[in-house]
Amino acid sequence: MERTRLTPAQAFDALYAFCAPTLVRQTYLLTGRRELARESVERAFQLAWQRWPEVARDRDPAGWVRATAYDFALSPWHRFRPRYRHPEPPPSDALDRALLNVLLQLPAPQRRTLVLYDGVGLDLPETAAETEASTPATANRLMHARTAVATRLPDLSDPTELHRRLAELAATERLRAPKPTTVREGSEHRARFWTRAAIAFTVTLIGTTALTLRTAPTQYEPPVPPGSTVRGVPPRMAPGPLSDKELKLREKLRAEMAHGPQRLAPQAG
């Protein structure tokens, strides 16, 4: 019996339905922001749809999308966006607030390592590969992150208990991802926008180049050399202040009538 082959859209929707809800909650642990978590996952799946032939052949498509979402969520540029300048309301439960505060105080590499290892459940080599770090560096980050959490919350010194609390914190927030059709349409709209922008930029560049070629001189025009002193000719001096005699003459000339019998006029013959 032949297996029914899925279309690219059906395969994408299946991956989205399997990963998106959990991935939004995991991303919330990284950022402490509900809207940013949803946006990060949506942007990651939009990029996955644009590169679907590459993502579909990847040995771990879910890991590809997760790494892209985490990279976007932890980007330092979000602090300059007006919508993310103010903190969001914290979780209602006091224990959840305490755990989230500890997570957000960790450096971003340690926080990501802790979420991947103790939250998602990846092993150490997989965590190292996804965070683009060596295995010893990843183990060091994990130990520092666990120590920081245990110092602030001694009840979570046990990794099993920490894993359970991370899962509970992620599941407490009701975070919904948009529909896969919405994500695919948004990806296609974004791709069309950037394609048109690239075409417009290319046309502008071509027009500017053509105008430059048309208006630029066709031969070399040497610059005008600076003037040189001619022997025997005194340098040009700026006029100095007028003397008293010259000032009186200027006032007399200004006082004379511009039109009148004093002016010479031709006599008719």
Side-chain angles (χ1 to χ4, degrees):
M1 184 176 181
E2 295 187 5
R3 297 177 58 184
T4 304
R5 294 192 60 180
L6 299 177
T7 64
Q10 291 173 337
F12 175 85
D13 293 352
L15 177 66
Y16 186 88
F18 177 74
C19 297
T22 304
L23 188 55
V24 172
R25 293 192 290 269
Q26 294 170 2
T27 311
Y28 173 71
L29 297 179
L30 289 177
T31 62
R33 294 182 176 274
R34 302 165 182 85
E35 185 61 31
L36 180 56
R38 285 189 290 262
E39 182 186 6
S40 301
V41 174
E42 183 175 356
R43 291 291 296 273
F45 273 100
Q46 286 179 351
L47 188 59
W49 179 241
Q50 293 176 15
R51 303 180 181 179
W52 185 245
E54 171 191 346
V55 177
R57 291 193 299 268
D58 193 273
R59 65 181 183 86
D60 184 15
W64 191 99
V65 177
R66 181 176 58 242
T68 305
Y70 285 9
D71 287 340
F72 183 84
L74 294 176
S75 173
W77 296 106
H78 294 307
R79 70 184 66 175
F80 301 107
R81 300 174 64 182
R83 63 189 300 183
Y84 295 134
R85 288 179 182 174
H86 303 288
E88 292 186 0
S92 57
D93 185 74
L95 296 178
D96 291 342
R97 286 198 304 271
L99 177 56
L100 186 60
N101 289 335
V102 173
L103 290 177
L104 297 180
Q105 290 175 4
L106 294 174
Q110 295 183 17
R111 192 188 325 150
R112 184 172 185 172
T113 301
L114 184 69
V115 170
L116 287 173
Y117 191 88
D118 287 327
V120 179
L122 301 184
D123 59 20
L124 200 59
E126 292 173 338
T127 304
E130 189 157 321
T131 56
E132 298 181 350
S134 64
T135 303
T138 303
N140 188 40
R141 291 175 180 175
L142 180 62
M143 290 176 58
H144 280 81
R146 283 180 171 178
T147 302
V149 173
T151 302
R152 294 283 303 275
L153 302 173
D155 294 340
L156 301 182
S157 57
D158 182 13
T160 303
E161 181 65 16
L162 177 60
H163 172 75
R164 186 186 67 82
R165 289 291 295 117
L166 288 174
E168 289 181 354
L169 175 58
T172 300
E173 297 295 328
R174 296 183 178 180
L175 303 172
R176 296 183 179 180
K179 296 181 179 180
T181 53
T182 304
V183 175
R184 284 192 281 107
E185 291 173 357
S187 176
E188 294 166 0
H189 176 75
R190 184 180 296 272
R192 287 193 298 268
F193 171 79
W194 286 112
T195 301
R196 293 170 182 172
I199 293 174
F201 176 77
T202 304
V203 171
T204 303
L205 183 61
I206 293 174
T208 304
T209 304
L211 180 62
T212 303
L213 293 176
R214 186 175 183 83
T215 57
T218 58
Q219 60 183 5
Y220 174 73
E221 297 181 0
V224 179
S228 58
T229 304
V230 180
R231 175 179 290 184
V233 178
R236 185 176 180 181
M237 302 296 293
L242 299 178
S243 62
D244 294 340
K245 185 178 180 180
E246 291 171 339
L247 289 174
K248 292 179 180 180
L249 178 60
R250 186 178 67 178
E251 294 299 329
K252 181 180 179 182
L253 293 176
R254 287 179 176 178
E256 294 292 338
M257 297 179 61
H259 303 281
Q262 293 85 355
R263 297 183 61 86
L264 295 178
Q267 299 287 335

